[in-house]
Amino acid sequence: MLGLIAVMAFVVVAMGAFAIGSLLDERNARARLMRERLTSVRKAAERQPSEELALLRDEMLSEIPALDSILRRSGRVSQLQKLLSQGDIDVRAGNFLLFCGATGVVLGLLLLIFNRDSNLGPILGWVGMLFGFFLPYAYASYRRTKRFEKFEELFPEAIDTLARAVRAGHAFTTALEMIADEVSEPVAGEFRKLFEEQKFGLPVRDALLNLVDRMPLVDVKFFVTAVMLQRETGGNLAEILDNLSFVIRERFKIMRQVRVYTAQGRLTMMLLMGLSPLIVATMLVLNPGFIRPLFVDPFGHILLVLGITLQTIGYFVIRRIVRIQV
């Protein structure tokens, strides 16, 4: 227990020292950022007309300059920043990681304090620290999944709006602005970014590819591929969009039928995952002496680890069976 407290105290002191050093380095970082921006503007003025254009974006991973320079060396942190953006969480990756660390330390200390008289106190402290660190990431993944589902639900409506606008004689870029004004979020926000990117000079092809990067969904890939092919080879864009909207809606019907057919498997998965913890909790309330050896005896610890491992493997196996791609 003393070792765990020493480790947590070291982490807190190290984070405080790092924050103080970052604040002292902030003035030099601002000057360096200003020099980089001036260099970019000068290179843009000297660029040949045939060279490709790119938009300058705010891609800082942390508002702390020293931490931002460190995080830029990791590709995983950049992927985390993309996940936060896709989940519509307005937090930089560096701040998010600091929040995850703080959550882990707080939860670990709470479990350690409440179980200081138990032999499992240090183990529960480490488990709580690990769980607290990954809990914000799980929430961000949940937000990302729900936002993707809402986008897929509203995307056929956006395609229909685009088809009607093109059929009425509006330009493709003007139709994108109409989608941003008429369709609900999150479709409106993503198409607003698409419209603004091409408005600021980015080629339409690159702006569409950025849409796929922000929303890596099958329906969006179909849409972008169809639009780029039409712009390169010609054809009736309104008819193409109508057919694409019909295909997406039919795909949703098949997905709903699949969910009905796999309902029994998903219910079985939930029952099997929740049955063991429910039995253990019930025994702890009704007959604690019967279940206590499972947490006190070393052989019981082995059984706990084995049971949790088998439960996890079973969850992923059943999840793979009932998850059918359409």
Side-chain angles (χ1 to χ4, degrees), residues 188-204:
E190 294 300 327
F191 274 86
R192 187 174 295 108
K193 291 179 183 178
L194 174 61
F195 171 75
E196 290 175 352
E197 285 183 349
Q198 61 84 29
K199 181 181 179 181
F200 290 138
L202 196 67
V204 177

Side-chain angles (χ1 to χ4, degrees), residues 9 20 51 72 113 115 131 136 138 142 153-154 169 172 179 186 206 239 245 272 304 323:
I20 293 174
E51 295 182 9
R72 285 181 179 277
I113 293 173
N115 298 276
F131 180 77
Y142 173 78
E153 181 181 349
L154 297 175
F172 176 76
I179 294 176
D206 295 340
E239 183 178 355
S245 176
L272 291 178
L304 278 177
R323 195 172 184 179

Side-chain angles (χ1 to χ4, degrees), residues 23-90:
L23 291 176
L24 295 177
D25 187 52
E26 185 174 359
R27 180 177 298 178
N28 294 332
R30 288 181 177 177
R32 184 176 65 252
L33 181 61
M34 184 63 66
R35 287 196 300 270
E36 291 177 355
R37 290 182 176 178
L38 291 175
T39 303
S40 300
V41 173
R42 186 173 63 253
K43 289 183 178 180
E46 297 173 355
R47 184 185 294 114
Q48 298 297 328
S50 60
E51 295 182 9
E52 295 183 356
L53 298 176
L55 295 180
L56 294 177
R57 298 184 179 88
D58 181 10
E59 296 179 348
M60 290 184 62
L61 300 178
S62 175
E63 295 178 355
I64 302 175
L67 182 59
D68 179 68
S69 62
I70 294 175
L71 294 179
R72 285 181 179 277
R73 303 172 185 175
S74 175
R76 294 183 180 273
V77 180
S78 300
Q79 293 296 323
L80 176 62
Q81 184 64 59
K82 182 185 294 186
L83 183 142
L84 295 174
S85 301
Q86 291 172 346
D88 196 22
I89 301 176
D90 190 15

Side-chain angles (χ1 to χ4, degrees), residues 113-134:
I113 293 173
F114 285 116
N115 298 276
R116 58 181 178 273
D117 298 330
S118 173
N119 296 329
L120 294 177
I123 298 177
L124 292 176
W126 286 111
V127 172
M129 181 182 294
L130 185 64
F131 180 77
F133 183 81
F134 285 102

